[in-house]
Amino acid sequence: KQWPRRFRLLARLRIFLWIMVALAGMGFIGLYAWRGAFQEEASQPALDTIRADYSLTSHTGETVTEDRYLGKWQLVFFGFTHCPDICPTTLAEVATVIDGLGDVARNVQPLFISVDPERDSPSAMAEYVTAFHPALVGLTGEPGAVAKAARAFSAYYEMQPERGAHDGYTMSHSSALYLLDPKGRFVRLFAYGTPAAEIIEDLKERL
């Protein structure tokens, strides 16, 4: 007569334990999701502080500031000429965008700002950017000037030692494409890998 009662107690205990395990699992999932969302949000640039503020040297040797390109929509990308993948992929997309805009492309200025001023001289930038599109302007400068430009755009970059890379290092950097309006104000980011067709559609609506 005692066994059925003990069995019932064990069954209830087992159910209780399963409920606790399920609640703990739900709590862990919720915590993980919150942590992921928090990290994603924290990793986003401070969009409300992004602005164009720089004095750099173009690939033609001309000293330019952000005022030089006022009056045009600007597509701005930070990278470096020894970049193995992200930079050539993005600049090829930018070239496709400019060609795809047709006649209104004259109202858009694509800019490529180097985060590797030690290697990216104006002549190196000239050879690089002209391989993608004649409208593309490469900008470089002294390390301090590059750092100032990156801070203004909330852009990240960092030298990373890498055995086998040219000069023994590569550069980690932000991969987003910035859109500025004709007054030089930040409008939006295009994430890395955004199809050229999507950027073209967005720009045509604005133009």
Side-chain angles (χ1 to χ4, degrees):
K1 292 182 179 179
Q2 296 300 318
W3 174 250
R5 181 172 178 272
R6 185 181 305 171
F7 180 81
R8 289 195 298 271
L9 289 174
L10 288 173
R12 290 173 183 172
L13 179 60
R14 181 177 298 175
I15 293 171
F16 174 77
L17 290 174
W18 275 113
I19 291 174
M20 294 302 294
V21 169
L23 290 174
M26 291 173 63
F28 175 78
I29 292 172
L31 178 61
Y32 183 82
W34 173 84
R35 180 172 177 267
F38 177 81
Q39 288 179 332
E40 180 179 358
E41 181 179 355
S43 68
Q44 296 299 314
L47 301 183
D48 57 344
T49 66
I50 292 175
R51 68 192 190 284
D53 182 12
Y54 56 82
S55 178
L56 297 168
T57 303
S58 72
H59 70 266
T60 60
E62 177 187 7
T63 299
V64 297
T65 69
E66 67 279 1
D67 294 337
R68 174 68 175 79
Y69 305 106
L70 294 180
K72 291 188 176 184
W73 291 86
Q74 300 166 51
L75 288 171
V76 183
F77 183 72
F78 286 80
F80 64 115
T81 63
H82 288 84
C83 183
D85 42 35
I86 294 175
C87 299
T89 299
T90 300
L91 295 183
E93 287 289 302
V94 169
T96 301
V97 168
I98 298 302
D99 288 339
L101 287 173
D103 292 340
V104 295
R106 63 180 179 274
N107 299 315
V108 179
Q109 178 60 64
L111 300 172
F112 176 58
I113 301 177
S114 172
V115 297
D116 186 14
E118 296 295 334
R119 293 183 292 194
D120 290 345
S121 63
S123 59
M125 292 288 279
E127 182 179 0
Y128 190 75
V129 299
T130 55
F132 290 95
H133 199 281
L136 183 61
V137 172
L139 299 176
T140 187
E142 295 297 321
V146 170
K148 177 185 175 182
R151 285 194 301 270
F153 281 86
S154 294
Y156 158 82
Y157 70 96
E158 183 179 8
M159 180 185 293
Q160 298 285 347
E162 183 176 300
R163 184 178 299 177
H166 184 75
D167 292 328
Y169 74 91
T170 187
M171 302 295 295
S172 296
H173 61 91
S174 304
S175 59
L177 183 65
Y178 297 77
L179 176 64
L180 306 181
D181 69 14
K183 293 185 178 180
R185 298 173 302 193
F186 171 72
V187 176
R188 63 164 294 180
L189 292 175
F190 293 105
Y192 172 65
T194 300
E198 184 176 326
I199 300 175
I200 291 170
E201 181 179 359
D202 183 283
L203 287 174
K204 282 186 174 179
E205 290 179 359
R206 300 178 191 278
L207 292 169

